[in-house]
């Protein structure tokens, strides 16, 4: 997992429409919060995404764009997003999974978690967990977003 204070590599992801999403496209314009789901079949992860969707207006007001990363391919991601009527942008990997690109390994279960990247491409929050019940660090994310506001 990336360390707080490190610079994020320019990872190329793909959204559910097939559009390439490069992390460098957000530099200088917006911070990015990426939530990594264990899988689209994980009900706990889906609950975390529902909370992020409910908070998306608050996050957008703080200059934070939200991406939901899934380990499955684009077709599965697209079907999952449509079934839930999500407005959040859902991404999968172009070469391997987004999880692999960020150092979230698959042990017995796929690790999940979150990364908050500031406008300069610096990691301000990083959290990973093997169990999905502890993968969504809501308080840690909120604290990191507050700190972004102070730095602006």
């Amino acid at each position: 997992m990336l360390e707080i204070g490190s610079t994020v590599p320019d990872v190329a992801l793909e959204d559910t429409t097939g559009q390439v999403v490069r992390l460098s496209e957000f530099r200088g314009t917006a911070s990015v919060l990426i939530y990594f789901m264990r899988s689209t079949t994980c009900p706990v992860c889906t609950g975390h995404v529902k909370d992020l969707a409910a908070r998306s207006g608050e996050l957008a007001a703080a200059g934070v764009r939200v991406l939901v990363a899934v380990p499955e391919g684009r077709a599965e991601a697209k079907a999952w997003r449509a079934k839930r009527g999500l407005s959040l942008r859902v991404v999968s990997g172009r070469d391997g999974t987004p999880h692999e690109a960020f150092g979230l390994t698959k042990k017995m279960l796929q690790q999940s978690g979150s990364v908050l990247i500031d406008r300069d491409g610096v990691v301000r929050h990083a959290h990973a967990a093997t169990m999905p019940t502890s993968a969504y660090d809501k308080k840690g994310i909120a604290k990191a977003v507050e700190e972004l506001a102070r730095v602006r």
Side-chain angles (χ1 to χ4, degrees):
M1 185 70 168
L2 296 173
E3 292 186 26
I4 294 172
S6 65
T7 301
V8 174
D10 190 20
V11 176
L13 306 169
E14 186 175 64
D15 72 10
T16 55
T17 67
Q19 183 177 352
V20 175
V21 179
R22 297 191 83 71
L23 294 180
S24 61
E25 71 189 54
F26 297 102
R27 289 218 176 134
T29 61
S31 297
V32 181
L33 173 64
I34 307 173
Y35 174 68
F36 296 87
M37 294 183 68
R38 183 176 67 86
S39 81
T40 57
T41 60
C42 175
V44 175
C45 296
T46 297
H48 298 326
V49 170
K50 285 181 184 178
D51 184 70
L52 280 170
R55 297 180 57 220
S56 64
E58 165 193 337
L59 291 165
V64 178
R65 303 248 181 104
V66 178
L67 299 176
V68 177
V70 301
E72 294 89 353
R74 185 167 59 93
E76 294 91 341
K78 184 176 183 176
W80 177 83
R81 182 178 184 257
K83 182 177 179 180
R84 279 146 190 84
L86 280 179
S87 60
L88 297 176
R89 198 169 188 187
V90 177
V91 296
S92 58
R94 292 188 47 115
D95 300 313
T97 71
H99 299 63
E100 292 167 341
F102 282 83
L104 293 166
T105 60
K106 185 172 185 176
K107 296 176 182 177
M108 291 187 80
L109 296 173
Q110 173 63 62
Q111 284 187 311
S112 53
S114 56
V115 174
L116 177 64
I117 306 158
D118 72 13
R119 293 172 179 228
D120 297 321
V122 176
V123 175
R124 297 299 174 186
H125 165 82
H127 178 79
T130 301
M131 296 305 297
T133 51
S134 58
Y136 182 46
D137 181 15
K138 188 175 179 176
K139 288 180 183 177
I141 292 168
K143 182 180 176 189
V145 170
E146 281 179 29
E147 289 172 4
L148 284 177
R150 282 188 234 133
V151 174
R152 269 197 208 173

